[in-house]
Amino acid sequence: RHLNAFPRARTAPHRHSPASARRPLASMAAREYNLIIWGGSGFTGRLAAEYLARKYTPGGQSAGPSNGPGAAAPGATSESVRWAIAGRDRAKLEVVRDGILKKHPHVQGIDILVGSSDDPASLEAVASKANTVLSFAGPFASFGMPLVDACVKCGTDYCDVTGEPTFIRAVVDKHDAAAKKAGACIVNCVGYDSIPWDLGAWAVATYLRKAGDECTLAVGHVGESKGGISGGTVASAVNLLATTPLATLRAMSSPHFLAASGKPAPSADPDAAARWKTQSSFMYDKDVKRWTMPSIMAGINTKVVGRSASLAPSAPYAPNFAYNESDLCSGVGAAATGTAAIGFFGAMLMFPPTRWLLTSTLLPKPGQGPSENMRETGFAHVYVVGTGKANLPPSSGRSDQSEAGPGTDAADPTNQTPPGSGPGPAKVVAHMEFKNADPGYKGTAALAVEAALCLALPTERAKTPGHGKELGGGCLTPAVALGQVLVDRLNRSDTFAFEVGPLKDTVIRG
């Protein structure tokens, strides 16, 4: 019987106190759930539960014929997942469960687990039931650490959608060694911040390395996109500014704030430090031939990519690797206006009176978010351009980083010229597309689920670099922990597309 087919709500018993130990695949299969969604009553947590119901829950729609009453839900797959929702408020979780059951009648039931951040035993009871816990409950600096504590103690893989650098730094400092000992992967930032950029930088560096070259610079860009903002994101940003000491805020200005050593990797290249300097004004980018403005998300994305490079400096990141980021604009006027607007709102958020004015009048409240129409019709194009040390390999076609490897045809790997066999462009680009999903909410929910399933499903987990012999767990980034396993899942999804290839062959939308 499918474990999701229990309509009752269940409070996790407090008596459970598991021992910390490395968790083999056999014990993963024995756990009651592959995945638990923590914070399932929140705006994005509910969207994640709906995505699991639509795509990964066995029943009439996902297992049915192609048309008729039992037809498969759009995007449904035969890959089933045992999952539950969890949080601190059972009544709110029951509302979410009832809404999903009404919208997706093929789902026979959804288990509910209850725990509290001030009751460690209840969180351990939740964490011990799953292979992976995926958390949407922020602000993470206020509420996130007790759940990470429980997952590390239980040897349970953990993912979240935080964009709070101070929380990630605290998790790394407290749990990296313990997570390695327990054989657990702790992976922050598995949403829109920061998978597209982190995975994109990893992809262009990998492409160049396999071509016999080195990536000296990766630059991320947001192209055409449509989406909205939620109160939860606003609350996390405001909490970060309101509670972080000024000295820490200054330290956070470094792109290496989350690096393994907290400092840039040693490099013989004197220009590497300058290439890491985050864009702060509008400028013209010759590679993509667009005017650009500073990226509001660079504050977290640069730090995540910096940590990736520090965790895996030789595979595939070069010692003199650097990363930067900007948003594409329609012209110089839009770039200048956008730069001014970011500066204005950033200044208002720094001071308590103007911060209060913004949050009480203009910005959405916690629990609020984009309309359903915005979520369903949203989209985004994210590009990461990689620059090689020497001229790049060529390619008559693009590579989607499928399991066949870059520069090959997945159906017939011998049908294309292998990378590095001749002269070619020195620039490559990774392109990630969000389809029929606003990137911040519906897209983030689906993206986070796909990332978590890389760890939650035993057959996928066995392929992840994070659980390989070299790393064996710890506090990792999405690219370092998941790598190609995540790319392959994204390309099997109806919500995403991910590809990498020569810049000259790419149409930039933005």
Side-chain angles (χ1 to χ4, degrees):
R1 181 170 52 165
H2 176 56
L3 287 174
N4 240 26
F6 296 101
R8 65 189 183 281
R10 301 193 299 171
T11 302
H14 293 195
R15 63 181 181 276
H16 188 84
S17 183
S20 254
R22 282 191 171 270
R23 185 159 49 97
L25 291 179
S27 68
M28 289 188 69
R31 290 199 176 188
E32 191 169 354
Y33 306 103
N34 300 122
L35 180 64
I36 289 175
I37 301 294
W38 179 263
S41 62
F43 192 87
T44 315
R46 173 176 57 81
L47 296 176
E50 288 187 359
Y51 182 77
L52 281 162
R54 175 179 70 86
K55 189 172 177 66
Y56 291 113
T57 302
Q61 288 186 312
S62 60
S66 59
N67 52 60
T77 175
S78 59
E79 184 181 30
S80 64
V81 177
R82 305 188 311 274
W83 61 278
I85 56 175
R88 60 182 179 173
D89 191 319
R90 182 190 302 175
K92 290 182 179 179
L93 291 166
E94 288 174 345
V95 170
V96 171
R97 177 199 62 192
D98 294 345
I100 292 174
L101 295 180
K102 183 176 181 181
K103 187 174 181 179
H104 301 280
H106 70 285
V107 180
Q108 299 175 34
I110 300 172
D111 278 4
I112 293 174
L113 305 178
V114 178
S116 174
S117 58
D118 58 6
D119 184 352
S122 71
L123 296 181
E124 290 167 24
V126 170
S128 66
K129 292 180 181 295
N131 296 336
T132 302
V133 174
L134 170 58
S135 179
F136 293 92
F140 287 87
S142 300
F143 305 111
M145 191 64 80
L147 183 60
V148 183
D149 295 343
C151 286
V152 172
K153 186 172 182 178
C154 296
T156 300
D157 292 328
Y158 167 92
C159 298
D160 66 34
V161 294
T162 186
E164 302 165 48
T166 52
F167 173 70
I168 302 167
R169 185 72 255 176
V171 168
V172 169
D173 292 342
K174 183 176 183 179
H175 283 305
D176 188 41
K180 286 180 182 291
K181 185 176 180 180
C185 281
I186 308 300
V187 187
N188 306 110
C189 300
V190 298
Y192 186 51
D193 45 353
S194 296
I195 282 180
W197 293 267
D198 188 37
L199 200 63
W202 169 86
V204 294
T206 299
Y207 190 101
L208 286 163
R209 177 59 61 90
K210 289 185 176 181
D213 203 341
E214 290 184 350
C215 184
T216 59
L217 177 66
V219 181
H221 303 285
V222 179
E224 287 184 355
S225 61
K226 175 184 176 183
I229 187 171
S230 88
T233 297
V234 172
S236 292
V238 169
N239 180 74
L240 179 69
L241 292 171
T243 61
T244 305
L246 185 59
T248 304
L249 288 174
R250 289 196 182 105
M252 279 172 48
S253 65
S254 168
H256 306 289
F257 181 73
L258 299 178
S261 65
K263 300 177 182 179
S267 174
D269 183 351
D271 296 325
R275 292 199 300 274
W276 273 105
K277 188 175 181 180
T278 305
Q279 181 173 325
S280 58
S281 186
F282 61 98
M283 61 180 292
Y284 187 77
D285 189 292
K286 295 180 180 178
D287 288 338
V288 294
K289 299 178 175 59
R290 299 286 193 284
W291 280 94
T292 67
M293 58 180 271
S295 167
I296 194 170
M297 295 182 66
I300 181 63
N301 293 335
T302 55
K303 297 172 180 59
V304 173
V305 175
R307 180 162 178 79
S308 290
S310 74
L311 290 171
S314 62
Y317 306 92
N320 59 344
F321 171 83
Y323 176 80
N324 212 322
E325 188 170 311
S326 66
D327 291 350
L328 304 184
C329 299
S330 58
V332 62
T337 302
T339 300
I342 286 179
F344 174 75
F345 282 102
M348 290 192 73
L349 285 171
M350 288 299 297
F351 301 100
T354 49
R355 185 189 307 147
W356 174 85
L357 182 65
L358 278 179
T359 55
S360 61
T361 59
L362 295 178
L363 299 175
K365 306 294 187 293
Q368 298 176 337
S371 67
E372 183 174 8
N373 179 66
M374 176 69 77
R375 299 194 305 269
E376 295 298 325
T377 61
F379 60 90
H381 296 273
V382 177
Y383 303 92
V384 178
V385 176
T387 300
K389 188 175 182 180
N391 264 358
L392 252 197
S395 182
S396 55
R398 299 184 56 81
S399 165
D400 66 357
Q401 286 285 81
S402 66
E403 291 176 323
T408 65
D409 185 317
D412 181 5
T414 66
N415 196 34
Q416 292 188 25
T417 305
S421 62
K427 305 282 184 177
V428 296
V429 60
H431 172 210
M432 183 169 174
E433 181 182 3
F434 290 73
K435 299 181 286 188
N436 299 314
D438 78 296
Y441 297 93
K442 181 184 176 184
T444 279
L447 185 55
V449 168
E450 294 296 346
L453 289 177
C454 294
L455 301 171
L457 300 174
T459 54
E460 296 282 61
R461 182 182 190 261
K463 297 183 291 185
T464 58
H467 283 292
K469 291 181 180 179
E470 182 179 351
L471 293 172
C475 296
L476 307 173
T477 61
V480 170
L482 311 176
Q484 188 64 44
V485 179
L486 179 55
V487 170
D488 294 336
R489 291 199 68 84
L490 297 181
N491 282 328
R492 292 197 299 267
S493 167
D494 60 334
T495 308
F496 308 104
F498 190 97
E499 58 185 1
V500 59
L503 178 61
K504 69 181 181 65
D505 296 340
T506 303
V507 176
I508 303 294
R509 299 175 176 86

